[in-house]
Amino acid sequence: MSATASWTRPMTIQAAVVAERDAAFMLHDVVLSPPRADEVIVQVEASGMCHADLSARSGGLPFPLPGVMGHEGVGRVVEIGAGVTDVAVGDRVVVSFSWCGHCDACLRAAPAYCADWPRLNLFGGSRADGSATLTCDDAPLHGHFFGQSSFSRFIVTTARATVKVPDDLPASILAPLGCGIQTGVSAATAILCPKPGDRVLVSGAGAVGLSAVMGLGLTGAAQIVVVDVHGPRLELARALGATHTINARDGDSAEQLAELTGGAGVDGAIETSGNLGALATAVAALASGSTCVVIGVPNATDTLALNVTNLVARGLRLVGTNQGNANPRVFIPKLIDLYRRGRLPIDRLVTDFAFADINQAAEASLNGSVIKPVLHMT
């Protein structure tokens, strides 16, 4: 389909559809609705693949199926709604999550905590009013995943979810900024904010965890300990700034953490794996008065038992974060500047795949051989 086609009526495009829980991604012709007044159509150049996409496919996240996932899109605006003034046809944009723009959280520039965030990005599978952005075989198809469903050659999204980006940077670098990179870096620099000399634990060396390691390298943290179960990922963590690594398959992680910190514990932790055992270890490793930032999400029904007396007596803080509390329109340009200055080597995380190879990308992500798959649509 030509990018110059008229979008005043629904148009047939190609997207990767998941028909049911744990099913393969299947490239399928679907119909994309035209943009409403506050929406834009983006021709997708590339999309990162995130753990959340695979969790939604497996039922770990409450996204309805059949549907189209993907939420780290980069591309070019090819049509705008009648009320859109802040982006124009031809602009290159990164697409991040969706938010309403008028609730208290949105008005105080905290869009990750929009009152409608769960419905707009996860379990709704549609626009805020329940209307579908995608149909397949004349039936509504769940889309609007994180406001975009970017495992598709074209998407419709709200203009406020787009961030204008430079033309000269590779799509592989820009795509992951919409979720994984911004989450990890912002969690390290804007939430945990370690002081000079602090000891910090990062649990999980996936894309978010390694982004957190890069973010910690921008702070005063003196000791950065990374725990994972994949040796190659731990080697990369050292290359990106970790001072120590622990393979959780090689003995008791808690004992090794105690040895590395001389029994004092860590001054902060960032948990990205979504493993409840890893979260419990991170909390137990905290020194008194310290904070654990929780990013990784297990299955929606999973719970963690905590010793509340220990939590209170030692002044521990357990802080959940969505998207690292980032405002994409403010934070993504900062990430781009850090990349240009050589302070954020995103390219070390990325492996490129053709869109047609989406299932190979998913398998490589699940088995740990690839950190951040990026699917290229053209």
Side-chain angles (χ1 to χ4, degrees):
M1 178 180 297
S2 168
T4 59
S6 171
W7 291 93
T8 57
R9 59 185 178 83
M11 302 291 282
T12 300
I13 62 166
Q14 187 183 60
V17 178
V18 174
E20 58 187 9
R21 184 171 175 173
D22 291 323
F25 294 98
M26 299 294 293
L27 298 189
H28 202 291
D29 283 346
V30 303
V31 176
L32 184 71
S33 72
R36 293 184 173 177
D38 63 340
E39 294 178 334
V40 300
I41 300 289
V42 176
Q43 182 173 16
V44 180
E45 295 176 53
S47 176
M49 177 177 284
C50 184
H51 175 73
D53 300 309
L54 303 178
S55 183
R57 182 179 69 160
S58 67
L61 282 180
F63 182 70
L65 299 175
V68 178
M69 289 84 175
H71 62 287
E72 292 183 337
V74 61
R76 205 165 290 277
V77 176
V78 295
E79 188 76 20
I80 62 173
V84 174
T85 59
D86 51 350
V87 293
V89 171
D91 285 346
R92 197 181 192 209
V93 295
V94 162
V95 188
S96 194
F97 56 87
S98 186
W99 67 93
C100 74
H102 53 75
C103 71
D104 287 348
C106 290
L107 292 176
R108 67 173 188 267
Y113 302 105
C114 170
D116 273 345
W117 203 97
R119 182 163 56 94
L120 290 174
N121 293 281
L122 285 176
F123 59 72
S126 64
R127 295 182 174 99
D129 64 1
S131 62
T133 56
L134 298 170
T135 56
C136 183
D137 298 330
D138 297 322
L141 177 66
H142 296 111
H144 217 257
F145 186 64
F146 281 70
Q148 54 184 290
S149 289
S150 58
F151 292 165
S152 178
R153 297 191 185 277
F154 291 83
I155 62 172
V156 59
T157 187
T158 57
R160 72 176 66 91
T162 64
V163 182
K164 287 192 278 189
V165 294
D167 286 331
D168 63 313
L169 292 181
S172 296
I173 299 300
L174 294 170
L177 300 181
C179 180
I181 306 297
Q182 80 171 347
T183 298
V185 176
S186 186
T189 60
I191 302 176
L192 194 60
C193 306
K195 301 182 296 295
D198 276 0
R199 299 176 295 267
V200 181
L201 165 66
V202 176
S203 181
V208 176
L210 291 175
S211 296
V213 171
M214 292 189 286
L216 291 169
L218 303 170
T219 72
Q223 187 180 45
I224 303 170
V225 183
V226 179
V227 180
D228 200 271
V229 296
H230 297 286
R233 291 190 173 196
L234 292 172
E235 290 177 14
L236 181 55
R238 280 186 174 271
L240 293 174
T243 59
H244 301 81
T245 58
I246 296 173
N247 192 318
R249 289 177 173 158
D250 298 337
D252 190 313
S253 299
E255 290 182 0
Q256 295 179 71
L257 280 165
E259 183 178 349
L260 283 173
T261 63
V266 294
D267 302 300
I270 300 175
E271 206 304 298
T272 71
S273 72
N275 181 289
L276 290 180
L279 176 56
T281 298
V283 173
L286 292 174
S288 294
S290 298
T291 300
C292 178
V293 179
V294 184
I295 299 173
V297 179
N299 289 333
T301 57
D302 288 350
T303 58
L304 177 71
L306 284 174
N307 185 317
V308 178
T309 300
N310 180 58
L311 195 74
V312 172
R314 298 206 300 122
L316 305 181
R317 292 180 292 275
L318 197 60
V319 179
T321 179
N322 183 20
Q323 304 293 318
N325 294 9
N327 181 335
R329 285 201 160 182
V330 175
F331 200 61
I332 287 177
K334 293 181 179 180
L335 294 174
I336 290 171
D337 185 57
L338 286 167
Y339 172 76
R340 288 195 187 278
R341 294 174 183 273
R343 305 291 303 278
L344 205 65
I346 300 165
D347 49 295
R348 300 290 299 272
L349 310 184
V350 168
T351 301
D352 294 320
F353 290 85
F355 189 29
D357 295 330
I358 184 171
N359 288 298
Q360 291 93 313
E363 177 58 29
S365 180
L366 287 171
N367 67 29
S369 60
V370 164
I371 294 166
K372 173 56 68 176
V374 174
L375 305 169
H376 292 263
M377 310 306 174
T378 56

